[in-house]
Amino acid sequence: VASATPSLESYYNFQQKKIQYLHLPKRYGGAKYPTVHIVDMLSNQEETGKFGQVISGLLQDKIEEKLNKNEQVILLQNRRGFSSVVKCNECGSIIMCKQCKITLTYHKNDNKLICHFCSFVVMHDSLSCQDCDNSKLIYSGTGTQKVESLIQNTFPKSRICRLDMDTSKSSTGIASILMSFSKHEYDILIGTQMVAKGLDFPNATLVGIINADLGLYLPDFRATERVFQLIYQASGRSGRSKKKGEVVIQTYSPNSIVIKNARELKISEFYHKELIEREELNYPPYSWLAKIEFIGPSRSSLISLIEKINKNIKGKYVGLDILGPTPCFLEKLKNQFRFQFVFKSQKTFDPNGTYLHKFIYLNFKNYNNQKLLGQNKINIYFDPISLI
């Protein structure tokens, strides 16, 4: 498997000489690396007095410059919809999904609010505050639809296409949009992470990353790695031929190691620092990981089951860290409550993960009987991709 941004585990295995690392020191075809600009959105807003600004002055100028040269632009906003948060102007209550403990996203094109996890829908025309019944609402947050609207208003003569799960729900739809952009039927391509990887448009000389901080502070040990990979990959879409490319990264965290290393395209430096943190916190690749997820329709029943299990946990050993039990980051999804344990088994004590597997089997083998669980479920994940 080849990747411009391999996983940290793969990079670590290369360091341990378990796999070979084939490195391309130069871009294909003699293309130059793009010039990368960082826009500190907080300082930019203080200077201009325009708070809540989505498109900075620099990015707007760069888009205009490229359009005047008949070159193309790619804009990345890794969140679909129009506004990710809708709240009451009177009491401040946020419009939430009735089946999940998350906010509903406003989709202006469809005139409705949608839950991106369970697809629960509220029509916008009948919308009012769930607590005080007030109909005056504030729309916050930015999705691809809002970016598209702002760009269309700013550059009315430009031809714009949007690529996200709303516009392209099949591989055929995705291919159609990308082919049209490749033929220069569009000047600006706006999209989620779907536009960030594996695309080669010789005439695309500007990539704008609207909000590079999205996902940066999620409570997951892979969060920074994912954000770095996304920025690095997106930046690589610019200037892939003889034309010099540019990248504008908008961020509220300009001093973040992730942002700094992404700006300088220093993948080895980022991986080196990230591995140091992983080792300090005993996360992969320095440990084996297991996540035990508890799911059920009744919070009290679920807590009772977890307390019973937690009280009787046995077989602990040197090198085992236990996190939890705690509510999952997304505690309620599709009318089901979610809690979790996370077990970290240090590889210096458990080189093959044998101790961890035996520990999980010892403590959870008796709970595969539905009579003991009732309406609850237990899911066991070894080496989980995410802890969210």
Side-chain angles (χ1 to χ4, degrees):
V1 177
S3 173
T5 53
S7 69
L8 232 65
E9 285 86 346
S10 295
Y11 189 80
Y12 176 77
N13 286 331
F14 148 68
Q15 288 185 328
Q16 300 301 307
K17 299 183 179 180
K18 292 182 179 180
I19 59 175
Q20 189 176 1
Y21 184 23
L22 300 178
H23 179 237
L24 297 176
K26 297 180 181 179
R27 299 185 96 183
Y28 176 77
K32 301 282 181 68
Y33 281 104
T35 300
V36 182
H37 310 275
I38 298 291
V39 178
D40 182 346
M41 292 300 286
L42 189 58
S43 297
N44 183 74
Q45 290 177 359
E46 290 175 350
E47 291 172 3
T48 61
K50 298 178 181 179
F51 290 86
Q53 192 176 28
V54 176
I55 308 296
S56 64
L58 176 63
L59 180 54
Q60 184 173 321
D61 291 343
K62 291 295 180 182
I63 293 173
E64 184 175 7
E65 177 186 319
K66 301 305 178 184
L67 293 178
N68 289 337
K69 291 181 179 179
N70 200 32
E71 296 173 356
Q72 292 172 288
V73 176
I74 298 175
L75 299 178
L76 170 69
Q77 173 66 2
N78 200 23
R79 181 173 285 162
R80 61 192 177 100
F82 191 87
S83 294
S84 55
V85 177
V86 181
K87 65 180 180 180
C88 177
N89 191 37
E90 292 291 334
C91 69
S93 177
I94 295 175
I95 308 298
M96 307 286 287
C97 174
K98 292 182 179 180
Q99 299 180 150
C100 306
K101 202 173 181 180
I102 62 171
T103 61
L104 292 174
T105 299
Y106 175 48
H107 288 246
K108 188 175 182 179
N109 293 17
D110 299 319
N111 199 34
K112 57 188 177 183
L113 279 75
I114 304 174
C115 174
H116 287 172
F117 286 89
C118 73
S119 299
F120 175 77
V121 173
V122 175
M123 297 308 298
H124 182 258
D125 292 341
S126 60
L127 184 64
S128 61
C129 177
Q130 297 162 322
D131 292 336
C132 69
D133 203 34
N134 172 52
S135 59
K136 295 180 180 179
L137 304 171
I138 300 172
Y139 298 83
S140 306
T142 301
T144 50
Q145 289 184 8
K146 181 182 282 187
V147 174
E148 181 183 27
S149 177
L150 289 169
I151 293 297
Q152 191 68 76
N153 291 334
T154 308
F155 303 100
K157 294 182 180 180
S158 63
R159 299 167 297 172
I160 301 171
C161 59
R162 178 164 52 88
L163 183 61
D164 55 30
M165 288 299 293
D166 297 319
T167 61
S168 309
K169 297 183 179 180
S170 68
S171 57
T172 304
I174 295 172
S176 176
I177 291 176
L178 294 177
M179 184 62 70
S180 296
F181 187 71
S182 179
K183 293 178 180 178
H184 205 161
E185 294 173 9
Y186 296 101
D187 304 307
I188 301 173
L189 171 63
I190 300 169
T192 56
Q193 60 182 348
M194 299 166 75
V195 305
K197 300 180 180 181
L199 304 178
D200 185 7
F201 302 115
N203 199 43
T205 57
L206 174 64
V207 168
I209 300 174
I210 305 299
N211 187 350
D213 305 332
L214 281 177
L216 190 59
Y217 299 107
L218 288 175
D220 186 280
F221 72 99
R222 298 187 198 275
T224 53
E225 177 186 1
R226 289 198 186 97
V227 172
F228 175 83
Q229 290 172 334
L230 185 63
I231 295 173
Y232 190 97
Q233 291 273 15
S235 299
R237 301 313 101 207
S238 178
R240 297 178 64 84
S241 64
K242 295 179 180 179
K243 296 178 181 179
K244 177 73 173 177
E246 292 186 84
V247 180
V248 176
I249 301 175
Q250 298 186 163
T251 175
Y252 289 88
S253 310
N255 295 320
S256 164
I257 293 298
V258 178
I259 304 299
K260 285 183 175 180
N261 288 151
R263 175 182 186 173
E264 299 170 7
L265 301 175
K266 291 183 176 179
I267 189 168
S268 59
E269 186 172 323
F270 170 74
Y271 279 21
H272 175 71
K273 292 177 180 177
E274 189 71 7
L275 283 171
I276 292 174
E277 288 190 11
R278 293 275 186 95
E279 186 173 20
E280 290 175 349
L281 298 173
N282 193 28
Y283 275 112
Y286 300 98
S287 68
W288 300 106
L289 210 63
K291 179 174 75 171
I292 312 297
E293 188 178 67
F294 302 85
I295 303 174
S298 168
R299 196 175 192 274
S300 59
S301 172
L302 202 60
I303 290 175
S304 178
L305 170 65
I306 295 168
E307 288 177 345
K308 180 181 178 181
I309 293 175
N310 194 29
K311 184 178 179 181
N312 294 296
I313 280 184
K314 53 190 175 182
K316 297 178 184 178
Y317 56 90
V318 174
L320 177 68
D321 291 339
I322 301 176
L323 305 180
T326 59
C328 294
F329 175 65
L330 300 173
E331 183 181 346
K332 186 183 179 185
L333 291 178
K334 301 180 181 178
N335 279 328
Q336 299 286 309
F337 292 94
R338 304 163 68 242
F339 285 74
Q340 68 181 22
F341 274 108
V342 174
F343 300 97
K344 299 186 289 183
S345 186
Q346 196 168 340
K347 287 185 178 179
T348 52
F349 296 99
D350 185 16
N352 299 313
T354 305
Y355 290 156
L356 180 60
H357 279 75
K358 287 182 178 179
F359 175 83
I360 297 297
Y361 181 77
L362 175 67
N363 286 284
F364 296 96
K365 66 177 180 178
N366 293 327
Y367 292 94
N368 57 4
N369 188 329
Q370 198 60 45
K371 291 183 179 179
L372 295 174
L373 295 176
Q375 292 183 293
N376 302 314
K377 294 180 181 179
I378 296 179
N379 295 324
I380 300 175
Y381 301 96
F382 285 102
D383 300 322
I385 296 175
S386 171
L387 296 182
I388 294 179

